Amino acid sequence: MSNDSRMAHLRNELLTDVCDQIAKVLLEFNIEPAKAEHAGSHVANFLAEHWGGQLITFPKDHLHKITQRDLEIFEKVTAANITEIAKEYGLTVNGIYRVIRRIRTRAISEKQPNLF
């Protein structure tokens, strides 16, 4: 397989996966299958048209990604219940502190513009 056809295959695979994953999520929200597939196709087409030709790298490192779990922890935690929250989520106390620090850092960076 030539490099051009390999890249074309990967591009097609990416857009097909985007379409399928969006449809899957919408089905979980009880959206009609036809509408879910249409929305998935629409988003994949948008990405191809809007971002086509750009070199984009998706990071594999998810350490800085705020998850729903992290948001739940952040909302529940107080100075008095860190140990209980750690047990509830199967984390260490230090893990809870890392979650809090990650969310605070992210919230500050989103609200405060970079000075340089």
Side-chain angles (χ1 to χ4, degrees), residues 9-59:
H9 174 75
L10 287 173
R11 285 190 300 270
N12 186 48
E13 184 179 349
L14 171 67
L15 293 172
T16 299
D17 194 38
V18 166
C19 180
D20 293 345
Q21 293 303 312
I22 289 170
K24 179 181 170 184
V25 169
L26 291 174
L27 288 171
E28 291 172 4
F29 283 96
N30 297 319
I31 303 297
E32 296 174 26
K35 288 183 179 180
E37 288 180 31
H38 180 72
S41 294
H42 183 77
V43 172
N45 288 336
F46 168 80
L47 291 173
E49 290 174 19
H50 189 76
W51 291 97
Q54 300 298 312
L55 179 61
I56 299 171
T57 303
F58 292 99

Side-chain angles (χ1 to χ4, degrees), residues 55-110:
L55 179 61
I56 299 171
T57 303
F58 292 99
K60 286 187 171 186
D61 180 3
H62 298 286
L63 292 177
H64 300 290
K65 181 181 175 186
I66 294 180
T67 64
Q68 184 62 38
R69 181 202 70 170
D70 292 349
L71 291 172
E72 289 173 10
I73 290 170
F74 188 77
E75 290 171 3
K76 286 182 179 181
V77 79
T78 66
N81 71 354
I82 289 180
T83 303
E84 291 79 20
I85 298 294
K87 287 179 186 177
E88 178 182 344
Y89 286 91
L91 297 171
T92 64
V93 170
N94 284 337
I96 297 295
Y97 283 119
R98 281 194 298 272
V99 167
I100 294 167
R101 187 171 44 251
R102 184 169 50 241
I103 291 178
R104 280 189 183 146
T105 301
R106 180 78 175 255
I108 289 170
S109 70
E110 288 177 359

